[in-house]
Structure formats: C-alpha cells, structure tokens
Amino acid sequence: MELKLNAESFDEHQMILIGEIIDRVKSDLKLAGVKDEQLKEMVGNIAFSIATTLDNSSTTEFDGVVVNPYLVFQTQDNELTHCGGNSYMHEYVFGILDEVFES
C-alpha cells in the first residue's frame, strides 16, 4: 500500500467516519432509553469527545505515555490517504449531528 496525500478524499472519508460514529452512539443511547433533546446533546458531546481524541486536538496520555494519533484511510483502490496533518473531523460533528437528527 502506498501513502498518498489527498485532502479531498480524506475529507470525505472523515465525514463518513464521524457520521457513522454519531449513528452508532445515537442507536446505543436510544436503546438505553435516552430521548429527545437529551439524546441529541449526549450524542453530540460523546461524538465530539471521540473526534477530538482522534484528531489529536486534546492530549491523550496513559501511564506517562503520550499518544499522538494520525488518521489515514484505506481507499477502495487499496491506497492509504491522508491530509498532510492531523484530522479535523471534530469540525463536522455538530453539522452532521443536525443532519442525523433531522431525518
């Protein structure tokens, strides 16, 4: 596999990923009985926390070991695509959250 810089493809993939995270968190919280505005607020907060961790927007450390994630996606062409820096999917959380809760 070859690592390729492709910001457009990367952007599309990270929107799909955070959308899937939002859908799964929403489903699990609904099963737990969370409803209405509380559901949307909790889904948004959890998804944002996950996204900022993956984006390396917040420090991730355990037992003195700092972890710096760098997100890449494997495309259908068997390439690894990246954006040339840290991901930024946390910027999409609340827009996608609104779309998910409108449908």
Side-chain angles (χ1 to χ4, degrees), residues 76-95:
Q76 291 178 348
D77 301 334
N78 233 13
E79 294 176 350
L80 298 175
T81 185
H82 67 106
C83 68
N86 289 343
S87 56
Y88 45 92
M89 78 180 123
H90 69 279
E91 295 177 10
Y92 295 116
V93 168
F94 294 103

Side-chain angles (χ1 to χ4, degrees), residues 19-74:
E20 184 65 24
I21 290 169
I22 288 168
D23 278 338
R24 290 182 186 199
V25 170
K26 179 183 177 188
S27 294
D28 288 348
L29 288 177
K30 280 178 87 170
L31 285 173
V34 181
K35 300 178 189 171
D36 305 322
E37 280 303 310
Q38 184 182 26
L39 176 63
K40 184 176 181 181
E41 183 179 339
M42 289 179 74
V43 169
N45 289 341
I46 292 168
F48 191 79
S49 291
I50 292 168
T52 57
T53 301
L54 293 173
D55 290 345
N56 199 29
S57 298
S58 59
T59 302
T60 304
E61 180 181 350
F62 182 76
D63 254 355
V65 177
V66 176
V67 176
N68 297 300
Y70 186 81
L71 192 60
V72 297
F73 293 99
Q74 183 177 351

